[in-house]
Amino acid sequence: GRRDGIGGGRAPGEKAPGFGEGVARMPHLYLECSGNIIEPLEPGRIFAPLHAALAAAGMFRLQDCKSRLIRRDQYVIGDGSGHRAFVTLEIATFAGKSEAEKKLITQTALDVLLSCFETSLADLDCDIAVRITEIERAAYARRRSHETDPDRTP
């Protein structure tokens, strides 16, 4: 296994827990930005590299990333100066990941966001943050469109 504490001690290429176990997968990503961010807030420009990086880190499958972008035009930061800005990514995922796995997820996502918002970081007083919200499996239910409903008769 790896000795750096990243990836929960798995060998390179070994998948994170939950892969192939037939369980509901995650993550849900909520990117919230102040309306004065300089870069274009185009979901594909931000989420394509973010999904790819999280999948490459081995924590999620690319096809399981579900993302949305929320632009906030009504907000106040500190003294209300229009020169302050924020980008906050919330990653909702199932509970049970190790501290090293959570650190890998947040740092991977932060690295992508830093490259996506370079101009805002340079020209504004901009704060970029990533946080994980853990969801207990018992508190989450869903059905995919291709799954059958066991309570329905054909």
Side-chain angles (χ1 to χ4, degrees):
R2 293 173 65 167
R3 297 181 187 272
D4 60 5
I6 302 297
R10 291 184 301 279
E14 185 179 347
K15 296 295 184 183
F19 281 82
E21 296 176 7
V23 296
R25 293 187 175 87
M26 291 277 158
H28 286 266
L29 293 90
Y30 305 87
L31 184 67
E32 190 173 8
C33 303
S34 56
N36 63 339
I37 289 295
I38 297 167
E39 290 80 1
L41 295 178
E42 298 166 355
R45 183 186 76 80
I46 301 163
F47 292 128
L50 189 55
H51 293 178
L54 291 170
M59 297 308 302
F60 304 109
R61 297 186 326 166
L62 184 64
Q63 65 266 33
D64 293 327
C65 294
K66 299 163 199 75
S67 300
R68 61 282 274 159
L69 186 137
I70 304 119
R71 176 187 163 136
R72 299 292 184 188
D73 290 317
Q74 297 183 2
Y75 62 92
V76 175
I77 303 171
D79 63 4
S81 164
H83 192 66
R84 292 191 170 91
F86 69 88
V87 175
T88 302
L89 177 66
E90 176 186 354
I91 302 173
T93 186
F94 286 122
K97 291 175 179 55
S98 71
E99 293 299 313
E101 288 171 324
K102 289 185 246 183
K103 183 175 182 175
L104 175 62
I105 292 166
T106 56
Q107 191 60 56
T108 297
L110 181 61
D111 290 345
V112 172
L113 294 177
L114 292 174
S115 68
C116 287
F117 296 99
E118 287 178 339
T119 304
S120 292
L121 279 169
D123 296 349
L124 299 171
D125 183 3
C126 184
D127 182 43
I128 298 180
V130 178
R131 72 173 177 267
I132 292 178
T133 300
E134 294 185 302
I135 301 169
E136 296 297 325
R137 289 186 187 274
Y140 182 81
R142 72 117 202 263
R143 189 176 92 212
R144 293 183 177 182
S145 59
H146 65 274
E147 296 173 342
T148 59
D149 182 349
D151 295 329
R152 291 178 74 187
T153 55

Short mmCIF file of all heavy atoms in Angstrom, two decimals, residues 10-78:
data_model
loop_
_atom_site.label_atom_id
_atom_site.label_comp_id
_atom_site.label_asym_id
_atom_site.label_seq_id
_atom_site.Cartn_x
_atom_site.Cartn_y
_atom_site.Cartn_z
N ARG A 10 -4.44 2.21 0.08
CA ARG A 10 -4.62 1.34 -1.07
C ARG A 10 -3.39 1.40 -1.96
O ARG A 10 -2.71 2.40 -2.04
CB ARG A 10 -5.87 1.77 -1.86
CG ARG A 10 -7.16 1.51 -1.10
CD ARG A 10 -8.36 1.84 -1.96
NE ARG A 10 -8.34 3.24 -2.38
CZ ARG A 10 -8.73 4.25 -1.62
NH1 ARG A 10 -9.17 4.03 -0.40
NH2 ARG A 10 -8.70 5.49 -2.06
N ALA A 11 -3.16 0.31 -2.67
CA ALA A 11 -2.08 0.27 -3.66
C ALA A 11 -2.46 1.14 -4.85
O ALA A 11 -3.65 1.36 -5.10
CB ALA A 11 -1.85 -1.17 -4.10
N PRO A 12 -1.48 1.64 -5.61
CA PRO A 12 -1.80 2.45 -6.79
C PRO A 12 -2.75 1.68 -7.72
O PRO A 12 -2.55 0.50 -7.97
CB PRO A 12 -0.45 2.68 -7.45
CG PRO A 12 0.54 2.56 -6.32
CD PRO A 12 -0.05 1.53 -5.40
N GLY A 13 -3.79 2.36 -8.17
CA GLY A 13 -4.77 1.75 -9.06
C GLY A 13 -5.89 1.03 -8.34
O GLY A 13 -6.90 0.69 -8.94
N GLU A 14 -5.73 0.76 -7.05
CA GLU A 14 -6.78 0.10 -6.29
C GLU A 14 -7.90 1.10 -6.03
O GLU A 14 -7.65 2.24 -5.67
CB GLU A 14 -6.22 -0.42 -4.96
CG GLU A 14 -7.20 -1.23 -4.15
CD GLU A 14 -6.59 -1.73 -2.85
OE1 GLU A 14 -5.35 -1.66 -2.70
OE2 GLU A 14 -7.35 -2.18 -1.99
N LYS A 15 -9.13 0.69 -6.22
CA LYS A 15 -10.27 1.59 -6.11
C LYS A 15 -10.66 1.84 -4.65
O LYS A 15 -10.43 1.01 -3.78
CB LYS A 15 -11.47 1.01 -6.86
CG LYS A 15 -11.24 0.88 -8.34
CD LYS A 15 -11.06 2.23 -8.99
CE LYS A 15 -10.92 2.12 -10.49
NZ LYS A 15 -10.68 3.37 -11.13
N ALA A 16 -11.28 2.99 -4.45
CA ALA A 16 -11.78 3.36 -3.13
C ALA A 16 -12.95 2.46 -2.76
O ALA A 16 -13.61 1.90 -3.62
CB ALA A 16 -12.22 4.82 -3.12
N PRO A 17 -13.27 2.32 -1.45
CA PRO A 17 -14.41 1.52 -1.04
C PRO A 17 -15.68 2.03 -1.69
O PRO A 17 -15.85 3.22 -1.90
CB PRO A 17 -14.45 1.74 0.49
CG PRO A 17 -13.07 2.16 0.85
CD PRO A 17 -12.53 2.89 -0.35
N GLY A 18 -16.59 1.11 -1.99
CA GLY A 18 -17.86 1.50 -2.59
C GLY A 18 -17.89 1.25 -4.08
O GLY A 18 -18.95 1.21 -4.68
N PHE A 19 -16.74 1.05 -4.72
CA PHE A 19 -16.72 0.81 -6.15
C PHE A 19 -17.17 -0.62 -6.41
O PHE A 19 -16.70 -1.55 -5.80
CB PHE A 19 -15.31 1.01 -6.71
CG PHE A 19 -14.96 2.44 -6.92
CD1 PHE A 19 -14.52 3.20 -5.86
CD2 PHE A 19 -15.11 3.03 -8.15
CE1 PHE A 19 -14.21 4.54 -6.04
CE2 PHE A 19 -14.79 4.35 -8.34
CZ PHE A 19 -14.35 5.11 -7.28
N GLY A 20 -18.14 -0.76 -7.32
CA GLY A 20 -18.58 -2.08 -7.73
C GLY A 20 -19.37 -2.82 -6.69
O GLY A 20 -19.57 -4.01 -6.79
N GLU A 21 -19.84 -2.15 -5.66
CA GLU A 21 -20.57 -2.83 -4.60
C GLU A 21 -22.08 -2.70 -4.78
O GLU A 21 -22.83 -3.12 -3.92
CB GLU A 21 -20.17 -2.26 -3.23
CG GLU A 21 -18.71 -2.51 -2.89
CD GLU A 21 -18.29 -1.87 -1.59
OE1 GLU A 21 -19.14 -1.33 -0.87
OE2 GLU A 21 -17.09 -1.91 -1.29
N GLY A 22 -22.53 -2.09 -5.87
CA GLY A 22 -23.95 -1.97 -6.12
C GLY A 22 -24.64 -0.98 -5.20
O GLY A 22 -25.83 -1.07 -4.99
N VAL A 23 -23.90 -0.05 -4.64
CA VAL A 23 -24.49 0.94 -3.73
C VAL A 23 -24.68 2.25 -4.46
O VAL A 23 -24.07 2.49 -5.50
CB VAL A 23 -23.59 1.17 -2.49
CG1 VAL A 23 -23.48 -0.10 -1.67
CG2 VAL A 23 -22.23 1.67 -2.89
N ALA A 24 -25.54 3.11 -3.93
CA ALA A 24 -25.70 4.44 -4.50
C ALA A 24 -24.36 5.16 -4.40
O ALA A 24 -23.67 5.06 -3.41
CB ALA A 24 -26.77 5.20 -3.74
N ARG A 25 -24.00 5.85 -5.47
CA ARG A 25 -22.70 6.50 -5.50
C ARG A 25 -22.87 8.01 -5.40
O ARG A 25 -23.93 8.55 -5.59
CB ARG A 25 -21.98 6.12 -6.78
CG ARG A 25 -21.62 4.63 -6.75
CD ARG A 25 -20.76 4.29 -7.94
NE ARG A 25 -20.31 2.92 -7.86
CZ ARG A 25 -21.01 1.90 -8.32
NH1 ARG A 25 -22.18 2.07 -8.87
NH2 ARG A 25 -20.53 0.68 -8.23
N MET A 26 -21.79 8.67 -5.21
CA MET A 26 -21.73 10.10 -5.05
C MET A 26 -20.54 10.57 -5.89
O MET A 26 -19.84 9.74 -6.44
CB MET A 26 -21.48 10.46 -3.58
CG MET A 26 -22.62 10.16 -2.66
SD MET A 26 -23.76 11.54 -2.76
CE MET A 26 -25.25 10.80 -2.19
N PRO A 27 -20.22 11.78 -5.95
CA PRO A 27 -20.65 12.89 -5.10
C PRO A 27 -21.66 13.81 -5.80
O PRO A 27 -21.85 13.76 -7.00
CB PRO A 27 -19.34 13.66 -4.89
CG PRO A 27 -18.67 13.53 -6.24
CD PRO A 27 -19.01 12.13 -6.71
N HIS A 28 -22.25 14.65 -4.98
CA HIS A 28 -23.00 15.81 -5.48
C HIS A 28 -22.12 17.01 -5.18
O HIS A 28 -21.62 17.16 -4.06
CB HIS A 28 -24.34 15.95 -4.75
CG HIS A 28 -25.34 14.94 -5.20
ND1 HIS A 28 -26.25 15.18 -6.19
CD2 HIS A 28 -25.56 13.67 -4.80
CE1 HIS A 28 -27.00 14.12 -6.38
NE2 HIS A 28 -26.60 13.18 -5.55
N LEU A 29 -21.90 17.85 -6.19
CA LEU A 29 -21.05 19.03 -6.02
C LEU A 29 -21.88 20.29 -6.20
O LEU A 29 -22.61 20.41 -7.19
CB LEU A 29 -19.90 19.02 -7.05
CG LEU A 29 -18.88 17.90 -6.85
CD1 LEU A 29 -19.28 16.66 -7.61
CD2 LEU A 29 -17.52 18.35 -7.30
N TYR A 30 -21.77 21.19 -5.24
CA TYR A 30 -22.49 22.46 -5.25
C TYR A 30 -21.45 23.57 -5.25
O TYR A 30 -20.78 23.79 -4.23
CB TYR A 30 -23.38 22.59 -4.01
CG TYR A 30 -24.35 21.45 -3.83
CD1 TYR A 30 -23.98 20.30 -3.14
CD2 TYR A 30 -25.63 21.53 -4.34
CE1 TYR A 30 -24.87 19.25 -2.97
CE2 TYR A 30 -26.54 20.49 -4.17
CZ TYR A 30 -26.14 19.35 -3.49
OH TYR A 30 -27.03 18.31 -3.33
N LEU A 31 -21.30 24.26 -6.37
CA LEU A 31 -20.33 25.34 -6.47
C LEU A 31 -21.08 26.65 -6.39
O LEU A 31 -21.93 26.96 -7.23
CB LEU A 31 -19.56 25.26 -7.79
CG LEU A 31 -18.45 26.29 -7.96
CD1 LEU A 31 -17.32 26.04 -6.96
CD2 LEU A 31 -17.91 26.27 -9.37
N GLU A 32 -20.79 27.41 -5.36
CA GLU A 32 -21.45 28.69 -5.12
C GLU A 32 -20.42 29.80 -5.26
O GLU A 32 -19.34 29.72 -4.69
CB GLU A 32 -22.05 28.69 -3.71
CG GLU A 32 -22.95 29.85 -3.43
CD GLU A 32 -23.65 29.71 -2.08
OE1 GLU A 32 -23.33 28.79 -1.31
OE2 GLU A 32 -24.53 30.54 -1.82
N CYS A 33 -20.76 30.83 -6.07
CA CYS A 33 -19.82 31.91 -6.36
C CYS A 33 -20.50 33.26 -6.19
O CYS A 33 -21.69 33.42 -6.51
CB CYS A 33 -19.34 31.84 -7.81
SG CYS A 33 -18.58 30.30 -8.28
N SER A 34 -19.74 34.23 -5.73
CA SER A 34 -20.26 35.60 -5.71
C SER A 34 -20.37 36.09 -7.15
O SER A 34 -19.61 35.66 -8.03
CB SER A 34 -19.35 36.51 -4.88
OG SER A 34 -18.02 36.48 -5.36
N GLY A 35 -21.32 36.96 -7.40
CA GLY A 35 -21.61 37.42 -8.74
C GLY A 35 -20.52 38.26 -9.39
O GLY A 35 -20.58 38.52 -10.59
N ASN A 36 -19.53 38.68 -8.62
CA ASN A 36 -18.46 39.52 -9.18
C ASN A 36 -17.24 38.71 -9.63
O ASN A 36 -16.22 39.30 -10.01
CB ASN A 36 -18.04 40.59 -8.18
CG ASN A 36 -17.45 40.01 -6.91
OD1 ASN A 36 -17.69 38.86 -6.56
ND2 ASN A 36 -16.71 40.83 -6.18
N ILE A 37 -17.33 37.41 -9.64
CA ILE A 37 -16.23 36.58 -10.14
C ILE A 37 -15.96 37.00 -11.59
O ILE A 37 -16.89 37.16 -12.38
CB ILE A 37 -16.59 35.08 -10.03
CG1 ILE A 37 -16.60 34.64 -8.56
CG2 ILE A 37 -15.66 34.21 -10.85
CD1 ILE A 37 -15.26 34.70 -7.86
N ILE A 38 -14.70 37.15 -11.95
CA ILE A 38 -14.32 37.67 -13.26
C ILE A 38 -14.48 36.63 -14.37
O ILE A 38 -14.96 36.94 -15.46
CB ILE A 38 -12.88 38.21 -13.21
CG1 ILE A 38 -12.80 39.39 -12.23
CG2 ILE A 38 -12.40 38.60 -14.60
CD1 ILE A 38 -11.39 39.80 -11.87
N GLU A 39 -14.10 35.40 -14.09
CA GLU A 39 -14.16 34.35 -15.11
C GLU A 39 -15.60 34.04 -15.49
O GLU A 39 -16.51 34.19 -14.68
CB GLU A 39 -13.50 33.06 -14.59
CG GLU A 39 -12.02 33.13 -14.43
CD GLU A 39 -11.56 33.81 -13.15
OE1 GLU A 39 -12.42 34.23 -12.33
OE2 GLU A 39 -10.36 33.95 -12.94
N PRO A 40 -15.81 33.54 -16.71
CA PRO A 40 -17.16 33.12 -17.09
C PRO A 40 -17.59 31.93 -16.24
O PRO A 40 -16.83 30.98 -16.07
CB PRO A 40 -17.04 32.74 -18.57
CG PRO A 40 -15.59 32.64 -18.87
CD PRO A 40 -14.84 33.37 -17.80
N LEU A 41 -18.79 32.02 -15.70
CA LEU A 41 -19.30 30.94 -14.86
C LEU A 41 -20.04 29.94 -15.74
O LEU A 41 -21.26 29.83 -15.72
CB LEU A 41 -20.20 31.50 -13.75
CG LEU A 41 -19.48 32.37 -12.73
CD1 LEU A 41 -20.45 32.93 -11.70
CD2 LEU A 41 -18.37 31.60 -12.04
N GLU A 42 -19.26 29.20 -16.50
CA GLU A 42 -19.79 28.19 -17.41
C GLU A 42 -19.54 26.82 -16.79
O GLU A 42 -18.38 26.45 -16.55
CB GLU A 42 -19.09 28.29 -18.76
CG GLU A 42 -19.32 29.62 -19.45
CD GLU A 42 -18.37 29.86 -20.63
OE1 GLU A 42 -17.47 29.04 -20.87
OE2 GLU A 42 -18.55 30.90 -21.29
N PRO A 43 -20.61 26.07 -16.50
CA PRO A 43 -20.43 24.79 -15.82
C PRO A 43 -19.43 23.85 -16.48
O PRO A 43 -18.60 23.25 -15.79
CB PRO A 43 -21.84 24.20 -15.81
CG PRO A 43 -22.74 25.40 -15.85
CD PRO A 43 -22.02 26.40 -16.72
N GLY A 44 -19.45 23.72 -17.78
CA GLY A 44 -18.52 22.81 -18.45
C GLY A 44 -17.07 23.19 -18.26
O GLY A 44 -16.20 22.32 -18.13
N ARG A 45 -16.77 24.48 -18.25
CA ARG A 45 -15.40 24.97 -18.09
C ARG A 45 -14.85 24.60 -16.71
O ARG A 45 -13.66 24.37 -16.54
CB ARG A 45 -15.38 26.49 -18.27
CG ARG A 45 -14.00 27.11 -18.19
CD ARG A 45 -14.06 28.63 -18.23
NE ARG A 45 -14.50 29.21 -16.97
CZ ARG A 45 -13.71 29.39 -15.91
NH1 ARG A 45 -12.46 29.03 -15.94
NH2 ARG A 45 -14.20 29.94 -14.81
N ILE A 46 -15.73 24.54 -15.72
CA ILE A 46 -15.32 24.28 -14.34
C ILE A 46 -15.46 22.80 -13.99
O ILE A 46 -14.54 22.19 -13.43
CB ILE A 46 -16.14 25.15 -13.37
CG1 ILE A 46 -15.93 26.64 -13.69
CG2 ILE A 46 -15.79 24.83 -11.92
CD1 ILE A 46 -16.96 27.56 -13.09
N PHE A 47 -16.61 22.21 -14.32
CA PHE A 47 -16.89 20.86 -13.85
C PHE A 47 -16.18 19.77 -14.65
O PHE A 47 -15.87 18.71 -14.09
CB PHE A 47 -18.39 20.60 -13.79
CG PHE A 47 -19.08 21.41 -12.73
CD1 PHE A 47 -20.18 22.18 -13.04
CD2 PHE A 47 -18.61 21.43 -11.42
CE1 PHE A 47 -20.82 22.94 -12.06
CE2 PHE A 47 -19.23 22.18 -10.44
CZ PHE A 47 -20.35 22.94 -10.76
N ALA A 48 -15.90 19.98 -15.93
CA ALA A 48 -15.20 18.93 -16.69
C ALA A 48 -13.83 18.63 -16.06
O ALA A 48 -13.54 17.46 -15.76
CB ALA A 48 -15.07 19.32 -18.16
N PRO A 49 -12.99 19.64 -15.80
CA PRO A 49 -11.70 19.31 -15.16
C PRO A 49 -11.85 18.86 -13.71
O PRO A 49 -11.06 18.04 -13.23
CB PRO A 49 -10.90 20.60 -15.27
CG PRO A 49 -11.88 21.69 -15.49
CD PRO A 49 -13.05 21.06 -16.19
N LEU A 50 -12.86 19.36 -13.03
CA LEU A 50 -13.08 18.96 -11.64
C LEU A 50 -13.48 17.50 -11.56
O LEU A 50 -12.92 16.72 -10.78
CB LEU A 50 -14.15 19.87 -11.02
CG LEU A 50 -14.39 19.76 -9.53
CD1 LEU A 50 -13.11 19.96 -8.73
CD2 LEU A 50 -15.43 20.78 -9.11
N HIS A 51 -14.43 17.08 -12.38
CA HIS A 51 -14.85 15.67 -12.40
C HIS A 51 -13.68 14.77 -12.78
O HIS A 51 -13.47 13.72 -12.16
CB HIS A 51 -15.99 15.47 -13.40
CG HIS A 51 -17.27 16.12 -13.02
ND1 HIS A 51 -18.38 16.08 -13.83
CD2 HIS A 51 -17.64 16.84 -11.94
CE1 HIS A 51 -19.38 16.74 -13.27
NE2 HIS A 51 -18.94 17.22 -12.11
N ALA A 52 -12.93 15.18 -13.81
CA ALA A 52 -11.80 14.37 -14.27
C ALA A 52 -10.75 14.20 -13.17
O ALA A 52 -10.22 13.11 -12.97
CB ALA A 52 -11.18 14.99 -15.52
N ALA A 53 -10.46 15.28 -12.45
CA ALA A 53 -9.45 15.22 -11.39
C ALA A 53 -9.91 14.33 -10.23
O ALA A 53 -9.11 13.55 -9.69
CB ALA A 53 -9.12 16.62 -10.89
N LEU A 54 -11.16 14.45 -9.83
CA LEU A 54 -11.68 13.62 -8.74
C LEU A 54 -11.70 12.15 -9.13
O LEU A 54 -11.39 11.28 -8.32
CB LEU A 54 -13.07 14.10 -8.31
CG LEU A 54 -13.11 15.45 -7.61
CD1 LEU A 54 -14.54 15.94 -7.45
CD2 LEU A 54 -12.40 15.39 -6.26
N ALA A 55 -12.03 11.86 -10.39
CA ALA A 55 -12.02 10.48 -10.86
C ALA A 55 -10.59 9.96 -10.93
O ALA A 55 -10.31 8.83 -10.52
CB ALA A 55 -12.70 10.38 -12.23
N ALA A 56 -9.66 10.78 -11.41
CA ALA A 56 -8.26 10.37 -11.50
C ALA A 56 -7.65 10.11 -10.13
O ALA A 56 -6.77 9.27 -9.99
CB ALA A 56 -7.45 11.43 -12.25
N ALA A 57 -8.15 10.82 -9.11
CA ALA A 57 -7.66 10.60 -7.74
C ALA A 57 -8.15 9.27 -7.18
O ALA A 57 -7.69 8.82 -6.14
CB ALA A 57 -8.10 11.75 -6.84
N GLY A 58 -9.09 8.63 -7.88
CA GLY A 58 -9.57 7.32 -7.46
C GLY A 58 -10.67 7.33 -6.42
O GLY A 58 -11.00 6.29 -5.86
N MET A 59 -11.25 8.50 -6.17
CA MET A 59 -12.25 8.57 -5.10
C MET A 59 -13.68 8.44 -5.61
O MET A 59 -14.57 8.06 -4.87
CB MET A 59 -12.10 9.90 -4.35
CG MET A 59 -10.76 10.04 -3.64
SD MET A 59 -10.33 8.65 -2.57
CE MET A 59 -11.71 8.63 -1.46
N PHE A 60 -13.92 8.77 -6.88
CA PHE A 60 -15.26 8.73 -7.45
C PHE A 60 -15.18 8.27 -8.89
O PHE A 60 -14.16 8.47 -9.54
CB PHE A 60 -15.92 10.12 -7.40
CG PHE A 60 -15.98 10.73 -6.04
CD1 PHE A 60 -15.17 11.81 -5.72
CD2 PHE A 60 -16.83 10.23 -5.07
CE1 PHE A 60 -15.22 12.39 -4.46
CE2 PHE A 60 -16.89 10.81 -3.81
CZ PHE A 60 -16.08 11.88 -3.50
N ARG A 61 -16.27 7.72 -9.38
CA ARG A 61 -16.36 7.41 -10.80
C ARG A 61 -16.83 8.67 -11.52
O ARG A 61 -17.71 9.38 -11.02
CB ARG A 61 -17.34 6.28 -11.07
CG ARG A 61 -16.92 4.97 -10.44
CD ARG A 61 -17.80 3.81 -10.81
NE ARG A 61 -19.20 4.20 -10.98
CZ ARG A 61 -20.11 3.43 -11.57
NH1 ARG A 61 -19.79 2.24 -12.03
NH2 ARG A 61 -21.36 3.83 -11.68
N LEU A 62 -16.26 8.93 -12.68
CA LEU A 62 -16.59 10.12 -13.45
C LEU A 62 -18.09 10.25 -13.67
O LEU A 62 -18.68 11.31 -13.46
CB LEU A 62 -15.85 10.09 -14.79
CG LEU A 62 -16.01 11.30 -15.69
CD1 LEU A 62 -15.42 12.54 -15.04
CD2 LEU A 62 -15.36 11.04 -17.03
N GLN A 63 -18.74 9.16 -14.05
CA GLN A 63 -20.17 9.20 -14.37
C GLN A 63 -21.06 9.43 -13.15
O GLN A 63 -22.25 9.70 -13.29
CB GLN A 63 -20.60 7.93 -15.12
CG GLN A 63 -20.50 6.66 -14.28
CD GLN A 63 -19.20 5.91 -14.47
OE1 GLN A 63 -18.16 6.52 -14.69
NE2 GLN A 63 -19.24 4.59 -14.36
N ASP A 64 -20.50 9.37 -11.96
CA ASP A 64 -21.30 9.56 -10.75
C ASP A 64 -21.25 10.98 -10.21
O ASP A 64 -21.98 11.30 -9.26
CB ASP A 64 -20.85 8.57 -9.66
CG ASP A 64 -21.17 7.14 -10.03
OD1 ASP A 64 -22.19 6.91 -10.70
OD2 ASP A 64 -20.38 6.25 -9.67
N CYS A 65 -20.42 11.83 -10.78
CA CYS A 65 -20.33 13.23 -10.34
C CYS A 65 -21.55 13.99 -10.85
O CYS A 65 -21.82 14.01 -12.06
CB CYS A 65 -19.05 13.88 -10.87
SG CYS A 65 -17.54 13.18 -10.21
N LYS A 66 -22.27 14.60 -9.93
CA LYS A 66 -23.46 15.39 -10.27
C LYS A 66 -23.25 16.79 -9.73
O LYS A 66 -23.19 16.98 -8.52
CB LYS A 66 -24.70 14.75 -9.64
CG LYS A 66 -24.96 13.33 -10.12
CD LYS A 66 -25.93 12.64 -9.18
CE LYS A 66 -25.87 11.15 -9.33
NZ LYS A 66 -24.67 10.56 -8.72
N SER A 67 -23.14 17.76 -10.62
CA SER A 67 -22.71 19.09 -10.21
C SER A 67 -23.69 20.16 -10.64
O SER A 67 -24.38 20.04 -11.64
CB SER A 67 -21.34 19.39 -10.81
OG SER A 67 -20.40 18.45 -10.35
N ARG A 68 -23.70 21.23 -9.86
CA ARG A 68 -24.49 22.41 -10.17
C ARG A 68 -23.76 23.64 -9.70
O ARG A 68 -22.99 23.60 -8.75
CB ARG A 68 -25.90 22.34 -9.61
CG ARG A 68 -26.04 22.23 -8.11
CD ARG A 68 -25.79 20.89 -7.52
NE ARG A 68 -26.90 19.98 -7.46
CZ ARG A 68 -26.75 18.66 -7.35
NH1 ARG A 68 -25.56 18.14 -7.27
NH2 ARG A 68 -27.77 17.86 -7.28
N LEU A 69 -24.01 24.75 -10.43
CA LEU A 69 -23.34 26.01 -10.14
C LEU A 69 -24.39 27.04 -9.72
O LEU A 69 -25.42 27.18 -10.39
CB LEU A 69 -22.60 26.49 -11.39
CG LEU A 69 -21.74 27.72 -11.20
CD1 LEU A 69 -20.41 27.53 -11.90
CD2 LEU A 69 -22.45 28.94 -11.73
N ILE A 70 -24.13 27.73 -8.64
CA ILE A 70 -25.05 28.74 -8.11
C ILE A 70 -24.31 30.07 -8.05
O ILE A 70 -23.31 30.19 -7.34
CB ILE A 70 -25.57 28.36 -6.72
CG1 ILE A 70 -26.23 26.97 -6.74
CG2 ILE A 70 -26.54 29.41 -6.19
CD1 ILE A 70 -25.58 25.97 -5.86
N ARG A 71 -24.78 31.04 -8.81
CA ARG A 71 -24.20 32.39 -8.78
C ARG A 71 -25.03 33.24 -7.83
O ARG A 71 -26.26 33.30 -7.96
CB ARG A 71 -24.21 32.99 -10.18
CG ARG A 71 -23.71 34.42 -10.20
CD ARG A 71 -23.92 35.03 -11.58
NE ARG A 71 -23.81 36.47 -11.46
CZ ARG A 71 -23.14 37.22 -12.31
NH1 ARG A 71 -22.53 36.67 -13.33
NH2 ARG A 71 -23.10 38.52 -12.15
N ARG A 72 -24.37 33.88 -6.90
CA ARG A 72 -25.05 34.73 -5.92
C ARG A 72 -24.82 36.19 -6.27
O ARG A 72 -23.69 36.67 -6.22
CB ARG A 72 -24.55 34.46 -4.50
CG ARG A 72 -24.79 33.05 -4.03
CD ARG A 72 -26.25 32.80 -3.85
NE ARG A 72 -26.46 31.47 -3.29
CZ ARG A 72 -27.63 30.91 -3.16
NH1 ARG A 72 -28.71 31.55 -3.53
NH2 ARG A 72 -27.74 29.71 -2.66
N ASP A 73 -25.88 36.89 -6.63
CA ASP A 73 -25.76 38.31 -6.92
C ASP A 73 -26.10 39.16 -5.70
O ASP A 73 -25.80 40.35 -5.68
CB ASP A 73 -26.65 38.69 -8.11
CG ASP A 73 -26.11 38.11 -9.41
OD1 ASP A 73 -24.88 38.18 -9.63
OD2 ASP A 73 -26.91 37.56 -10.19
N GLN A 74 -26.73 38.57 -4.73
CA GLN A 74 -27.04 39.29 -3.49
C GLN A 74 -26.26 38.62 -2.36
O GLN A 74 -26.58 37.52 -1.93
CB GLN A 74 -28.54 39.25 -3.21
CG GLN A 74 -29.34 39.96 -4.27
CD GLN A 74 -30.81 39.99 -3.96
OE1 GLN A 74 -31.26 39.50 -2.93
NE2 GLN A 74 -31.58 40.56 -4.86
N TYR A 75 -25.22 39.31 -1.91
CA TYR A 75 -24.34 38.79 -0.86
C TYR A 75 -23.59 39.96 -0.25
O TYR A 75 -23.52 41.05 -0.83
CB TYR A 75 -23.33 37.77 -1.44
CG TYR A 75 -22.41 38.39 -2.45
CD1 TYR A 75 -21.19 38.92 -2.06
CD2 TYR A 75 -22.78 38.50 -3.78
CE1 TYR A 75 -20.36 39.54 -2.97
CE2 TYR A 75 -21.95 39.11 -4.70
CZ TYR A 75 -20.74 39.63 -4.30
OH TYR A 75 -19.93 40.24 -5.20
N VAL A 76 -23.05 39.75 0.93
CA VAL A 76 -22.20 40.73 1.58
C VAL A 76 -21.01 39.98 2.15
O VAL A 76 -21.17 38.96 2.81
CB VAL A 76 -22.94 41.48 2.71
CG1 VAL A 76 -21.99 42.43 3.44
CG2 VAL A 76 -24.15 42.22 2.17
N ILE A 77 -19.82 40.48 1.86
CA ILE A 77 -18.60 39.92 2.43
C ILE A 77 -17.93 41.04 3.22
O ILE A 77 -17.66 42.12 2.68
CB ILE A 77 -17.65 39.41 1.34
CG1 ILE A 77 -18.33 38.37 0.45
CG2 ILE A 77 -16.37 38.85 1.96
CD1 ILE A 77 -17.54 37.99 -0.78
N GLY A 78 -17.68 40.80 4.49
CA GLY A 78 -17.00 41.78 5.33
C GLY A 78 -17.72 43.11 5.36
O GLY A 78 -18.89 43.19 5.74
#
